[in-house]
Amino acid sequence: MSVSSEKTNYYSTIRKTCYSANIIYLVVRVFYLILFLIAGLHILAIVDGVTILFYCLFFLVLNKRKHYLYALLCGNEFFVFISVTTVMLGFGAGFHLYLIGLCVVSFFTSYFSKARNIRGSVVWVGLSLAFYLSLYFVTQNVAPYYYIDKWLETTLFVTHAIAVFAFVASYLLVFVKYALSLENRIRNESRTDELTQISNRYGLYDYFEDEDKDSTTLALFDIDDFKIVNDTYGHVVGDDILKKVAEITTDTLKDDFVCRYGGEEFVIVLREGKEKTVFDKLEELRKRIEEEIFYYRQTEIRITITVGASEYRKDLTLEKWVELADVKMYAGKGAGKNQVVI
């Protein structure tokens, strides 16, 4: 994944999470409004109506991509709402439980903010804990403004417990999915050659560990006299040649594993074990590269490759398998280069 793709994924995660959260918050507040009106809690109904208006306006903030500002506005609004509802209905209504969810959101917000400063989240957790305890002591010593029926208190507490668990789980799910996507990207990038965009030797190690190696042949080739090409035409031209060689190799051997082993060396793991089939495929590759014309300004450049190949045996480690192919490749170098040796 490119840097631009990573940024797109990053901002897409933030945008989708914020929009989804705002819709959920809005639905929850409408639910509260209905519940408060049914229970005759008119002051709370008015407070909730104003809150609903705020959450509608928050969509404008999100449209301007002010995601961090949105998080701050939501956090402070929650503090006000929790304070009002807890003081007016008592601790048993369970509005204070939202403070637990806010702690998770604060860490989520810190991670996805540009600064990624975890200190702010720790401060927020400390404030939330102090606020939680303050609400508890206040409600133990001051009678609630409304005395609500037991059914309503139980309904509110159970609703809040479920909501907070869902709240925490949903934010953690988003974070874990994003973390797994980053992990996969890092894994893929660590096994992909940056220049040619094919597998590197670490990708070869994975392939050796994971794939069935019976009836396979490993071929190692490098570009003949590639140092002369680099010294004569420069490394930019050399890099272009390496990229084109990788492209030709993957196009010629579509069903086989291809990797850049290092420098101008490439490794191919061919699935067919029959010598003639392997030889024909490698010979086709050698001819295609030999026929390819590269250019430096008006100068034509032609290159050749020498290939060595060795069949797999169960007693072989990857290093030994490569070494056997390497020996045959250098035998081909000694015999005049530009050939396939099996």
Side-chain angles (χ1 to χ4, degrees), residues 20-209:
S20 299
N22 204 59
I23 292 171
I24 292 170
Y25 298 159
L26 198 54
V27 170
V28 169
R29 294 311 168 83
V30 171
F31 166 77
Y32 282 140
L33 180 61
I34 296 170
L35 194 61
F36 291 156
L37 289 173
I38 292 173
L41 308 176
H42 301 298
I43 295 177
L44 288 178
I46 293 171
V47 171
D48 199 57
V50 174
T51 301
I52 289 172
L53 178 61
F54 275 127
Y55 276 101
C56 290
L57 294 174
F58 285 168
F59 281 113
L60 298 177
V61 177
L62 291 176
N63 285 338
K64 293 183 179 296
R65 298 186 177 183
K66 303 292 185 181
H67 302 111
Y68 191 71
L69 175 61
Y70 168 75
L72 289 177
L73 291 172
C74 281
N76 287 298
E77 189 283 323
F78 262 102
F79 267 122
V80 173
F81 186 74
I82 291 167
S83 302
V84 173
T85 50
T86 302
V87 169
M88 298 194 79
L89 298 180
F91 206 71
F95 282 93
H96 57 279
L97 294 175
Y98 280 124
L99 290 169
I100 300 171
L102 288 179
C103 292
V104 174
V105 176
S106 69
F107 281 102
F108 182 92
T109 304
S110 292
Y111 181 82
F112 282 98
S113 69
K114 292 182 180 179
R116 292 193 175 182
N117 186 357
I118 209 72
R119 186 185 304 170
S121 296
V122 174
V123 171
W124 185 277
V125 170
L127 290 173
S128 298
L129 176 59
F131 193 59
Y132 187 98
L133 295 175
S134 297
L135 287 175
Y136 175 77
F137 288 118
V138 168
T139 53
Q140 295 302 305
N141 293 284
V142 178
Y145 186 85
Y146 288 113
Y147 286 96
I148 58 177
D149 294 335
K150 191 66 178 176
W151 71 267
L152 180 57
E153 183 179 77
T154 302
T155 299
L156 286 171
F157 188 89
V158 171
T159 299
H160 294 142
I162 294 172
V164 170
F165 271 97
F167 192 73
V168 171
S170 61
Y171 272 90
L172 291 178
L173 177 63
V174 171
F175 181 79
V176 168
K177 286 178 68 176
Y178 182 76
L180 287 174
S181 72
L182 284 182
E183 183 180 312
N184 288 333
R185 179 179 66 82
I186 293 169
R187 177 182 174 84
N188 290 335
E189 286 185 354
S190 69
R191 285 153 178 76
T192 301
D193 179 61
E194 186 176 0
L195 176 66
T196 61
Q197 291 302 300
I198 63 174
S199 292
N200 58 20
R201 68 166 64 197
Y202 298 108
L204 176 62
Y205 295 152
D206 284 350
Y207 185 89
F208 184 80
E209 292 294 330

Side-chain angles (χ1 to χ4, degrees), residues 174-329:
V174 171
F175 181 79
V176 168
K177 286 178 68 176
Y178 182 76
L180 287 174
S181 72
L182 284 182
E183 183 180 312
N184 288 333
R185 179 179 66 82
I186 293 169
R187 177 182 174 84
N188 290 335
E189 286 185 354
S190 69
R191 285 153 178 76
T192 301
D193 179 61
E194 186 176 0
L195 176 66
T196 61
Q197 291 302 300
I198 63 174
S199 292
N200 58 20
R201 68 166 64 197
Y202 298 108
L204 176 62
Y205 295 152
D206 284 350
Y207 185 89
F208 184 80
E209 292 294 330
D210 298 338
E211 297 295 323
D212 180 15
K213 295 170 287 295
D214 290 339
S215 301
T216 57
T217 299
L218 184 144
L220 175 70
F221 77 84
D222 74 2
I223 301 171
D224 296 326
D225 302 314
F226 189 64
K227 185 178 184 303
I228 296 175
V229 174
N230 274 332
D231 291 345
T232 304
Y233 304 105
H235 288 278
V236 173
V237 174
D239 287 347
D240 288 341
I241 290 174
L242 288 171
K243 286 189 283 188
K244 188 62 179 178
V245 167
E247 182 183 322
I248 294 171
T249 304
T250 53
D251 183 63
T252 306
L253 305 170
K254 293 183 176 67
D255 298 325
D256 302 306
F257 177 83
V258 179
C259 84
R260 182 184 178 196
Y261 195 66
E264 68 271 25
E265 290 186 329
F266 293 80
V267 163
I268 309 161
V269 180
L270 301 101
R271 297 181 187 280
E272 291 84 2
K274 295 180 181 178
E275 184 173 322
K276 188 176 188 307
T277 305
V278 170
F279 180 84
D280 288 345
K281 293 177 74 172
L282 293 174
E283 183 65 11
E284 180 188 357
L285 172 64
R286 185 195 65 77
K287 288 179 179 178
R288 281 194 62 181
I289 292 175
E290 183 182 26
E291 293 166 359
E292 186 72 22
I293 302 174
F294 302 90
Y295 290 94
Y296 173 71
R297 297 175 182 172
Q298 302 301 317
T299 305
E300 290 187 2
I301 304 171
R302 291 182 180 272
I303 62 169
T304 59
I305 62 171
T306 302
V307 189
S310 174
E311 289 186 25
Y312 178 73
R313 302 194 311 267
K314 292 188 180 296
D315 62 325
L316 291 178
T317 63
L318 176 59
E319 290 75 13
K320 186 63 178 177
W321 200 11
V322 172
E323 183 182 332
L324 290 175
D326 188 51
V327 169
K328 293 188 177 182
M329 182 184 74

